[in-house]
Amino acid sequence: MINLNHAVQFQHNLWQEALAKAHCIVDATVGNGHDFLYLANHCAPHASLFGFDIQLAAIKATQERMKECSRRDISWQLSLGDHADFLGPDTPLDYPIDLAVFNLGYLPSGDHSLMTKADTTIRALQGALSHLTPQGMITVVAYPGTPEGAAEEAAVLEYITGLPQRDYDVSTWRPLNQRNQPPTLYILRGR
């Protein structure tokens, strides 16, 4: 059954088609590694996964979680640093991106003062979009429950709303009857 009240889980349903044929998958904010492991377990053979996070604790948690992955027909790499440093428009990437995922905010078990920021998230999105394959997909889960998260979501929404319709399909998914400002899922697909 599709979970209709949880943005992070709901996006897994959207990833299925992309994962079946993706060669390059990017997790721009690996966090505790749950999404990275999911992507690794469900991607096509010979796919390459790249994961980034600004916190060493997140990289270590994801490395530990990947011990649960028995796939030997894929490659994966984790890098410590801001997603804008790896995906920004001025960063030379040597691979086209089929699927990129962003789970914004802070590391739940980490330092809550270290959060994704609107400016670097926008730069990372610009870079990911510039390398997105035709029909490639980007999902962004934003958390408006804190003032910082609300500001970041507003900036992301403003940016993606302005993307040209001829190049991208942009949509959103949000639970409507949930309390405490639940996360919002944004979906971007190349045309």
Side-chain angles (χ1 to χ4, degrees), residues 75-143:
S75 64
W76 58 274
Q77 175 183 328
L78 298 171
S79 299
L80 179 64
D82 193 292
H83 49 217
D85 294 336
F86 296 102
L87 294 171
D90 298 327
T91 304
L93 298 176
D94 58 356
Y95 49 85
I97 298 172
D98 298 301
L99 175 63
V101 302
F102 290 74
N103 194 357
L104 305 179
Y106 53 79
L107 182 64
S109 60
D111 182 351
H112 290 199
S113 69
L114 295 175
M115 300 179 68
T116 54
K117 306 280 188 236
D119 61 333
T120 56
T121 296
I122 299 301
R123 284 199 336 262
L125 281 169
Q126 289 169 336
L129 285 166
S130 72
H131 290 85
L132 195 64
T133 60
Q135 302 299 310
M137 178 187 290
I138 298 173
T139 61
V140 181
V141 176
Y143 295 84

Side-chain angles (χ1 to χ4, degrees), residues 4-26:
L4 293 178
N5 67 350
H6 195 281
V8 174
Q9 291 176 9
F10 183 79
Q11 71 182 340
H12 293 181
N13 300 293
L14 301 173
W15 294 347
Q16 291 308 312
E17 182 182 350
L19 285 171
K21 53 189 172 192
H23 297 288
C24 177
I25 302 161
V26 172

Side-chain angles (χ1 to χ4, degrees), residues 2-189:
I2 297 174
N3 188 342
L4 293 178
N5 67 350
H6 195 281
V8 174
Q9 291 176 9
F10 183 79
Q11 71 182 340
H12 293 181
N13 300 293
L14 301 173
W15 294 347
Q16 291 308 312
E17 182 182 350
L19 285 171
K21 53 189 172 192
H23 297 288
C24 177
I25 302 161
V26 172
D27 186 340
T29 52
V30 296
N32 285 313
H34 296 284
D35 285 341
F36 197 78
L37 177 62
Y38 183 92
L39 294 165
N41 281 331
H42 292 87
C43 66
H46 310 295
S48 297
L49 283 79
F50 299 89
F52 317 122
D53 207 287
I54 199 162
Q55 294 188 62
L56 182 58
I59 298 296
K60 288 182 177 181
T62 303
Q63 288 171 330
E64 190 64 28
R65 191 150 325 274
M66 284 301 288
K67 291 179 181 177
E68 300 171 29
C69 182
S70 60
R71 302 275 308 264
R72 300 292 173 248
D73 60 344
I74 62 170
S75 64
W76 58 274
Q77 175 183 328
L78 298 171
S79 299
L80 179 64
D82 193 292
H83 49 217
D85 294 336
F86 296 102
L87 294 171
D90 298 327
T91 304
L93 298 176
D94 58 356
Y95 49 85
I97 298 172
D98 298 301
L99 175 63
V101 302
F102 290 74
N103 194 357
L104 305 179
Y106 53 79
L107 182 64
S109 60
D111 182 351
H112 290 199
S113 69
L114 295 175
M115 300 179 68
T116 54
K117 306 280 188 236
D119 61 333
T120 56
T121 296
I122 299 301
R123 284 199 336 262
L125 281 169
Q126 289 169 336
L129 285 166
S130 72
H131 290 85
L132 195 64
T133 60
Q135 302 299 310
M137 178 187 290
I138 298 173
T139 61
V140 181
V141 176
Y143 295 84
T146 64
E148 298 87 355
E152 182 176 32
E153 180 182 21
V156 167
L157 180 59
E158 180 180 357
Y159 172 69
I160 64 176
T161 300
L163 292 173
Q165 181 180 356
R166 71 182 176 280
D167 298 326
Y168 304 103
D169 292 320
V170 179
S171 54
T172 185
W173 177 88
R174 174 192 317 246
L176 297 177
N177 67 342
Q178 301 293 309
R179 289 180 279 187
N180 302 323
Q181 298 174 311
T184 304
L185 171 63
Y186 296 101
I187 305 111
L188 296 75
R189 185 186 292 272

